Amino acid sequence: MRAEQIRIWGLLCCLMLLLPSGCRRADPVYNTRFLAFGTLMDLSLVGVEPQKAEEVAQLLEQDFAFMQRAWHAWDPGPLGRVNRLLPTGKFFAAPPSILPLLRKSQQLARQTDDLFNPAIGKLIALWGFHTDAPACRPPPDARAIRNLVRADPKMSDIEVRGIEIRSKNPAVQLDFGAIGKGYGIDLAIDHLRELGIRNAIVNAGGDLRAIGDRSGHPWRIAIRHPNGGVFAILQIAGDESVFTSGDYERNFIYEGKTYHHIIDPRTGWPAEGTRSVTVVHSDATTADAAATALFIAGSEGWYPIARRLGIRYVLLLDSQGRIHMNPAMAKRVQLLEGDLPVLLSPPLLDAP
Ligand code: ADP
Ligand code: MG
């Protein structure tokens, strides 16, 4: 996404969040933004004194700068070091900033039949997505893709022994692009709570977690249409995360065809058939990984994986313009384009 698109979308999100939905006198909302994880982060704090809000925002900005460095997929740093040592096949001490994310990723990879697979860093690099602005160029050599798929790198290839790790497969290269934002937002919410904040949103370019409410009103969240604009609104309150994976986030066009950044580990090519998936879940880490996995699973395969992950709300827009969702999501989402065909799945869990 280009810088001006980020700004416009950030502004749009912000406007939507601030739409009044009642008449009670509202506590002031302190909004601040900074860049992290290559996207614009929006922090909204409700009813906090401006000076305290300023201090809190600075602490969070520092947190995110630390996390971005720790988990960066191609800049040198802790993850770079891990990726240099994994192919040796020998045990080494994993940096403390990596180990919890690695363990969580192993669990989520297992639950998604490895559709969420942060071990495919080599494939993502081969596709040219280990750069800030993916260049328009031909897709990689089909044989090189096939070789990496055959090498079958998986999170389960990584053995964890205390604080030491090793990979049994030299093709494993870690890329936390599909989970880092969610995990970082969960840590940020923990930090906010420690600082006594009860009502807030941490929003990374449309992917967010909210706690509390906005002066007694739910937060209103805009879901972006892959072609631009807003196509749905969700109201959330309490403690919920909303994450969307879409083919529009990072991509390049070559000879009229768009190649996006969500790679199907089974083929090595960008996943086909899905435009975007929005997941609502309590924690942001699961929501982030789930959105990526369900995007790849597509309209035919998303349901059993969502069940296994314990997700209660899913909305998937397929390449034919059809919306797939579970009944509980249908009940709470407000679709702004009424003429799109909707296919309802059986219920997921017993959503309240
Ligand atoms: P975004 O970060 O744009 O919201 P995602 O959460 O879906 O999108 O993450 C996509 C990123 O995750 C890619 O840029 C890449 O770094 C990484 N990735 C791509 N395919 C996979 C996959 N199958 N499993 C895990 N990570 C992936
Ligand atoms: Mg994700």
Side-chain angles (χ1 to χ4, degrees), residues 30 45 47-59 197:
Y30 174 91
L45 307 172
V48 181
E49 294 300 317
Q51 197 191 333
K52 164 135 189 183
E54 202 66 57
E55 285 164 18
V56 168
Q58 271 187 21
L59 288 172
I197 308 289

Side-chain angles (χ1 to χ4, degrees), residues 1-306:
M1 209 192 290
R2 289 197 319 259
E4 64 268 32
Q5 283 176 304
I6 289 177
R7 270 198 298 279
I8 291 165
W9 178 232
L11 191 69
L12 196 59
C13 283
C14 195
L15 285 175
M16 297 309 299
L17 290 173
L18 296 179
L19 281 179
S21 60
C23 56
R24 206 184 96 178
R25 238 191 79 195
D27 288 323
V29 181
Y30 174 91
N31 285 294
T32 188
R33 22 182 77 176
F34 48 86
L35 277 170
F37 293 123
T39 188
L40 200 62
M41 300 284 308
D42 263 294
L43 176 65
S44 306
L45 307 172
V46 183
V48 181
E49 294 300 317
Q51 197 191 333
K52 164 135 189 183
E54 202 66 57
E55 285 164 18
V56 168
Q58 271 187 21
L59 288 172
L60 255 63
E61 190 170 351
Q62 283 167 20
D63 286 354
F64 278 109
F66 177 88
M67 294 187 264
Q68 181 172 348
R69 197 187 105 72
W71 305 331
H72 205 283
W74 62 91
D75 279 354
L79 187 60
R81 180 172 162 267
V82 168
N83 280 333
R84 271 200 318 280
L85 293 172
L86 282 175
T88 65
K90 300 208 176 83
F91 272 111
F92 62 95
S97 54
I98 302 289
L99 203 51
L101 189 50
L102 188 149
R103 283 181 181 282
K104 187 70 193 169
S105 293
Q106 285 188 312
Q107 179 207 328
L108 289 162
R110 212 168 36 242
Q111 286 174 301
T112 61
D113 293 335
D114 294 297
L115 294 184
F116 164 74
N117 183 358
I120 60 165
K122 279 181 196 274
L123 261 174
I124 294 158
L126 182 69
W127 274 95
F129 289 116
H130 280 174
T131 167
D132 288 326
C136 295
R137 61 192 190 96
D141 176 43
R143 201 169 336 144
I145 296 175
R146 220 168 24 242
N147 286 342
L148 283 178
V149 172
R150 283 207 189 115
D152 200 22
K154 292 215 161 76
M155 290 308 289
S156 54
D157 293 327
I158 300 177
E159 215 178 309
V160 181
R161 191 178 69 183
I163 63 157
E164 290 192 315
I165 60 170
R166 78 164 169 199
S167 172
K168 290 176 272 179
N169 182 343
V172 167
Q173 180 181 319
L174 294 173
D175 174 324
F176 290 130
I179 189 174
K181 234 190 294 173
Y183 193 74
I185 288 178
D186 281 338
L187 293 182
I189 292 286
D190 288 348
H191 197 169
L192 284 178
R193 286 190 163 135
E194 280 164 22
L195 294 165
I197 308 289
R198 294 284 164 264
N199 303 289
I201 288 197
V202 183
N203 181 349
D207 290 332
L208 58 91
R209 178 166 166 186
I211 51 169
D213 55 39
R214 209 169 33 83
S215 308
H217 300 298
W219 303 96
R220 302 185 72 207
I221 309 299
I223 312 290
R224 192 195 139 152
H225 192 285
N227 296 341
V230 175
F231 100 108
I233 304 277
L234 268 172
Q235 299 213 3
I236 62 169
D239 184 356
E240 283 190 305
S241 308
V242 182
F243 271 69
T244 300
S245 278
D247 61 6
Y248 50 86
E249 290 283 1
R250 305 189 78 216
N251 57 40
F252 64 88
I253 299 170
Y254 182 72
E255 292 186 344
K257 190 166 161 50
T258 303
Y259 298 92
H260 63 78
H261 67 145
I262 302 172
I263 307 295
D264 186 338
R266 299 166 298 188
T267 63
W269 289 73
E272 288 190 353
T274 310
R275 297 296 319 276
S276 74
V277 173
T278 300
V279 166
V280 182
H281 193 65
S282 48
D283 72 272
T285 309
T286 308
D288 196 357
T292 306
L294 301 186
F295 185 103
I296 298 163
S299 57
E300 299 293 319
W302 68 268
Y303 180 79
I305 294 174

Side-chain angles (χ1 to χ4, degrees), residues 305-325:
I305 294 174
R307 271 192 86 103
R308 215 177 306 146
L309 288 166
I311 304 285
R312 289 169 185 266
Y313 305 97
V314 176
L315 185 157
L316 182 152
L317 179 64
D318 72 20
S319 308
Q320 296 168 52
R322 299 175 305 187
I323 294 173
H324 304 255
M325 52 186 169

